[in-house]
Amino acid sequence: MRTVRVRETIATSPDGAYEALLGLDTDWRVPFRGHGIRWTQACEPAPDRRTVGFAQVDGDFREFTGRWRISPVDGGCEVSFEASYDVGVPIYDRILDPIVEKVLASHVRSVIVKL
């Protein structure tokens, strides 16, 4: 399993960012090499901690689980994303995993700036 981590600070209130996070679709499609990586996830919000856990219930990964976290900072909030994944193609792991990690991190950053 490989882990991708993204942490960004945005000028949105923690409550506003958390509400926007809860509004994200559970069906994801990330552009990848002319096609896409897709998955549908089940989410477990924990409003008291401003976290949302998730796990793939259908999709292209063998396994995909993670968590979003919103933390207050001066002038806004820090949004953290961490996900562990297995693309399920052991022979290509060394080549494919780093590329998938970069693509996922880039996509998550584009989502964060819209919160």
Side-chain angles (χ1 to χ4, degrees):
M1 295 263 292
R2 187 143 177 134
T3 300
V4 59
R5 292 177 182 90
V6 176
R7 182 176 294 165
E8 297 288 336
T9 300
I10 58 174
T12 304
S13 74
D15 290 337
Y18 188 73
E19 287 300 315
L21 192 61
L22 292 177
L24 293 177
D25 198 348
T26 57
D27 293 314
W28 289 70
R29 181 171 159 59
V30 176
F32 182 72
R33 298 190 148 203
H35 301 293
I37 303 170
R38 64 155 209 89
W39 69 93
T40 300
Q41 62 191 29
C43 297
E44 288 186 35
D48 56 319
R49 294 187 308 266
R50 286 193 192 103
T51 64
V52 177
F54 58 86
Q56 173 185 276
V57 293
D58 182 46
D60 293 335
F61 293 100
R62 175 188 279 168
E63 197 172 326
F64 188 72
T65 60
R67 180 170 316 284
W68 291 89
R69 179 181 312 277
I70 307 292
S71 304
V73 297
D74 287 342
C77 66
E78 180 180 86
V79 181
S80 300
F81 171 91
E82 182 173 315
S84 296
Y85 64 92
D86 181 353
V87 295
V89 186
I91 196 166
Y92 296 120
D93 282 352
R94 286 180 149 177
I95 298 168
L96 203 52
D97 280 351
I99 298 168
V100 169
E101 182 178 345
K102 284 183 181 184
V103 168
L104 286 174
S106 176
H107 187 76
V108 166
R109 282 185 184 92
S110 73
V111 169
I112 290 172
V113 300
K114 295 176 186 173
L115 293 179

